[in-house]
Amino acid sequence: MEPEGPKTAEGRRKAGKAAKAPEPVPVLPVDVFDSHCHLDMLEMTVAEAVEKARQAGIRRIMTIGCDLPSSEWAVKAASEHPDVYAGVAIHPNDTKGLTDDVLARIAELARDPRVVAVGETGLDYYRDHASREEQQSSFRAHIAIAKETGKALVIHDREAHDDVLRLLDTEGAPDKVVFHCFSGDAAMAEVCADKGYVMSFAGNVTFKNAQPLRDALAVAPLDLLLVETDAPFMAPVPYRGKPNASHLIPFTVHLMAEVKGVPVEELCSAIAGTGSRLFGFPEG
């Protein structure tokens, strides 16, 4: 016998809606921040994104540039919103034909006090939008800009771990290095920990098939962790497949705390401390 269900079309419709109701977003006990977001790509205003994030315990948002227009946009957004900060750079996928004039403008933007990071830069061997030589030349230039300005270097590393680490060694890594949307395994996490590189985890760490990422998170030191959205991409479970935004970070934080075996409050405090050390954010 089939189980008893709604007797009418209206009942079935209401039951279907109830089954698909979004899970409430938990509020974090200690303010943290979204270390990597693309506010220019969201389907909401900056003010709306900031307010929704604040209600979930996300105090600050770093909006990241991927090319010159988005980097200039990020600086403008940060200048207009006190809880928004900027990162400026040319994404490795956009380095084909990159000119010295564009890099000079990125260096100029990086000196702005609302800019706290040079990124996202790095290497992406998954796509072939630019040659490896072009990407590596750009990465070297961004490493130099980060060192010159004293800003944190935010790295995009996709299927290029060995070359990213090699270039950091040969060029001399800045004092502050962040691997955005960390994609390495536990062995890579141990290398980063030995070098003092910060690892930022995104919503994909909550995915069912992301056990290697959770293994990496497990061995990463608490004081070398950040959390991010990379919004509008990679929304965490239970919002996977939907547009991401900073206010969904608590789902990632709760999973991270579970993997680390620490209370959520302790992890939040550690993330806040790393934000203070890397970006100058007040911890209170």
Side-chain angles (χ1 to χ4, degrees), residues 16-274:
K17 278 193 171 183
K20 296 177 182 177
E23 186 170 328
V25 178
V27 178
L28 295 177
V30 175
D31 284 347
V32 298
F33 61 96
D34 185 350
S35 71
H36 196 110
C37 178
H38 300 282
L39 287 174
D40 56 319
M41 300 183 189
L42 301 189
E43 294 182 357
M44 67 178 83
T45 67
V46 174
E48 289 170 337
V50 169
E51 179 56 30
K52 291 187 74 170
R54 186 179 292 119
Q55 292 174 6
I58 314 301
R59 176 67 186 278
R60 299 173 179 88
I61 300 172
M62 193 187 309
T63 188
I64 299 291
C66 292
D67 55 18
L68 187 51
S70 61
S71 292
E72 291 177 331
W73 187 95
V75 177
K76 185 175 185 294
S79 70
E80 295 173 350
H81 300 272
D83 288 330
V84 174
Y85 296 80
V88 298
I90 307 299
H91 191 285
N93 289 336
D94 292 314
T95 55
K96 186 175 181 63
L98 182 61
T99 66
D100 290 342
D101 287 345
V102 170
L103 286 170
R105 177 60 176 152
I106 291 294
E108 181 183 0
L109 291 171
R111 298 184 187 97
D112 190 288
R114 297 297 297 178
V115 173
V116 296
V118 174
E120 58 184 290
T121 180
L123 304 175
D124 189 326
Y125 292 171
Y126 178 75
R127 295 187 174 90
D128 59 358
H129 297 315
S131 70
R132 294 189 179 191
E133 292 75 15
E134 288 170 314
Q135 292 186 45
Q136 291 178 19
S137 176
S138 173
F139 188 31
R140 290 188 183 95
H142 283 85
I143 291 172
I145 293 170
K147 290 195 288 188
E148 176 194 342
T149 59
K151 305 295 172 75
L153 183 73
V154 173
I155 296 173
H156 173 105
D157 166 27
R158 191 164 188 189
E159 298 188 6
H161 305 323
D162 290 345
D163 277 354
V164 167
L165 293 171
R166 176 180 61 80
L167 287 173
L168 287 172
D169 284 343
T170 58
E171 297 299 310
D175 292 335
K176 298 176 285 189
V177 172
V178 179
F179 276 78
H180 135 69
C181 192
F182 187 80
S183 61
D185 57 11
M188 173 75 171
E190 290 175 346
V191 171
C192 289
D194 287 343
K195 294 179 178 293
Y197 299 157
V198 172
M199 291 158 271
S200 182
F201 287 83
N204 58 337
V205 75
T206 70
F207 296 174
K208 184 177 181 180
N209 62 349
Q211 190 57 48
L213 277 183
R214 291 188 284 275
D215 293 341
L217 172 61
V219 303
L222 204 60
D223 64 348
L224 292 178
L225 290 179
L226 289 178
V227 65
E228 64 175 83
T229 57
D230 199 18
F233 312 108
M234 291 189 298
V237 174
Y239 283 81
R240 184 178 183 181
K242 296 180 171 60
N244 201 2
S246 299
H247 68 277
L248 297 181
I249 269 185
F251 291 110
T252 305
V253 169
H254 276 259
L255 182 280
M256 291 173 66
E258 180 181 338
V259 171
K260 296 300 296 177
V262 299
V264 170
E265 184 172 358
E266 182 178 347
L267 176 61
C268 290
S269 295
I271 290 171
T274 300

